[in-house]
């Protein structure tokens, strides 16, 4: 119960910037000659419209399941911030059944470089995400069957950091496509438990604590 309460408390905390800042500024005017390469602009939204997700995502791997699907919001100046909520699935491997996961992901994209009116590239972005897995085999607080302090970590909740890059195709701002952008992304991640284990451990190598993932994002607004 404490793990679940902490997870949804963080979800509420990450929604506050969304409600305060709203969506990205409007993009109704043409780009002036000589404007910067980074020109991320979306249609402005007001009031409760801000709660409507601006994009959907699918992600392969990333320590959040074999495949995760979800939606999210981008906001802030030049749409530098994204908050995603994703549901994933871990197939049955050594366990009797598969497991569902829930991930809350916060992205920060400092730069977006436009190669043309149709293509842009985010050379580096990063962030943090909180992931929980459902099932009686996993716990947030050490069960009583173990000696006190035997396990100092939770098997149900993991905190990850990640960094990556992505490329986007823009169908066209002026035309009324229902998809405003198609993005392919690649990420590298690690989690709190791996980092702690790696400190002072000469037997662990980078490939032992780093994971890779890839995904697709469809921009709706």
């Amino acid at each position: 119960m404490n793990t679940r309460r902490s997870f949804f408390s963080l979800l509420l905390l990450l929604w506050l910037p969304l409600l305060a800042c709203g969506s990205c500024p409007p993009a109704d005017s043409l780009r002036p000659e000589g404007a910067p390469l980074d020109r991320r602009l979306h249609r402005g939204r007001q009031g409760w419209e801000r709660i409507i997700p601006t994009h959907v995502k699918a992600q392969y791997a990333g320590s959040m399941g074999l495949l995760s699907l979800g939606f999210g919001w981008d906001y802030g100046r030049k749409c530098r911030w994204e908050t995603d909520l994703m549901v994933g699935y871990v197939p049955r491997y050594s366990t009797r059944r598969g497991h569902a996961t829930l991930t809350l992901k916060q992205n920060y994209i400092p730069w977006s470089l436009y190669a043309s009116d149709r293509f842009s590239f985010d050379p580096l972005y990063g962030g943090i995400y909180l992931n929980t897995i459902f099932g009686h085999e996993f716990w947030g607080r050490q069960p009583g069957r173990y000696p006190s302090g035997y396990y100092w970590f939770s098997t149900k909740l993991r905190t990850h950091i990640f960094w990556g890059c992505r490329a986007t195709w823009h169908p066209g701002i002026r035309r009324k496509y229902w998809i405003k952008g198609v993005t392919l992304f690649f990420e590298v991640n690690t989690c709190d438990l791996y980092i702690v284990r790696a400190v002072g451990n000469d037997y662990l190598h980078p490939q032992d604590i780093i994971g890779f993932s890839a995904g697709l994002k469809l921009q709706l607004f």
Side-chain angles (χ1 to χ4, degrees), residues 1-20:
M1 179 62 68
N2 291 336
T3 300
R4 186 177 302 175
R5 186 181 301 127
S6 300
F7 187 87
F8 287 103
S9 295
L10 181 58
L11 173 62
L12 178 61
L13 180 63
L14 292 178
W15 265 41
L16 292 179
L18 171 67
L19 296 175

Side-chain angles (χ1 to χ4, degrees), residues 135-214:
H136 67 273
E137 305 93 331
F138 307 95
W139 36 265
R141 179 178 296 179
Q142 177 183 293
R145 63 178 179 270
Y146 298 108
S148 178
Y150 189 81
Y151 286 108
W152 56 268
F153 57 88
S154 165
T155 62
K156 191 177 183 65
L157 191 66
R158 290 268 71 80
T159 302
H160 299 257
I161 58 172
F162 71 93
W163 55 99
C165 60
R166 61 188 190 179
T168 302
W169 172 64
H170 307 273
I173 297 176
R174 291 298 187 184
R175 301 178 184 180
K176 295 183 178 180
Y177 294 109
W178 69 275
I179 294 179
K180 306 303 181 184
V182 179
T183 301
L184 295 176
F185 60 88
F186 174 81
E187 295 178 357
V188 179
N189 73 86
T190 189
C191 72
D192 49 0
L193 185 58
Y194 289 168
I195 294 174
V196 172
R197 285 181 172 178
V199 174
N201 192 332
D202 297 333
Y203 295 98
L204 289 178
H205 303 284
Q207 62 268 26
D208 297 322
I209 64 172
I210 291 178
F212 301 90
S213 64

Side-chain angles (χ1 to χ4, degrees), residues 31-204:
R31 173 176 176 257
E33 190 68 26
L37 290 176
D38 189 346
R39 55 184 191 271
R40 290 171 288 178
L41 296 171
H42 292 175
R43 181 179 66 88
R45 298 190 296 173
Q46 302 294 327
W48 289 104
E49 285 187 345
R50 299 171 181 175
I51 298 179
I52 302 174
T54 59
H55 59 265
V56 294
K57 279 185 180 180
Q59 185 163 342
Y60 170 77
S63 299
M64 58 177 69
L66 179 66
L67 181 66
S68 299
L69 302 174
F71 53 86
W73 305 261
D74 51 25
Y75 50 93
R77 187 172 181 269
K78 290 192 174 181
C79 306
R80 289 191 175 107
W81 295 96
E82 287 182 359
T83 300
D84 300 322
L85 187 62
M86 307 187 73
V87 176
Y89 180 71
V90 180
R92 183 183 64 182
Y93 291 116
S94 58
T95 58
R96 295 181 179 179
R97 59 188 179 89
H99 297 280
T101 68
L102 181 64
T103 302
L104 178 64
K105 188 176 182 183
Q106 184 67 43
N107 311 271
Y108 178 67
I109 308 98
W111 312 286
S112 186
L113 307 179
Y114 278 67
S116 68
D117 288 336
R118 293 298 180 91
F119 293 95
S120 64
F121 180 61
D122 303 334
L124 179 66
Y125 71 96
I128 185 172
Y129 58 90
L130 200 62
N131 171 264
T132 186
I133 186 168
F134 298 98
H136 67 273
E137 305 93 331
F138 307 95
W139 36 265
R141 179 178 296 179
Q142 177 183 293
R145 63 178 179 270
Y146 298 108
S148 178
Y150 189 81
Y151 286 108
W152 56 268
F153 57 88
S154 165
T155 62
K156 191 177 183 65
L157 191 66
R158 290 268 71 80
T159 302
H160 299 257
I161 58 172
F162 71 93
W163 55 99
C165 60
R166 61 188 190 179
T168 302
W169 172 64
H170 307 273
I173 297 176
R174 291 298 187 184
R175 301 178 184 180
K176 295 183 178 180
Y177 294 109
W178 69 275
I179 294 179
K180 306 303 181 184
V182 179
T183 301
L184 295 176
F185 60 88
F186 174 81
E187 295 178 357
V188 179
N189 73 86
T190 189
C191 72
D192 49 0
L193 185 58
Y194 289 168
I195 294 174
V196 172
R197 285 181 172 178
V199 174
N201 192 332
D202 297 333
Y203 295 98
L204 289 178

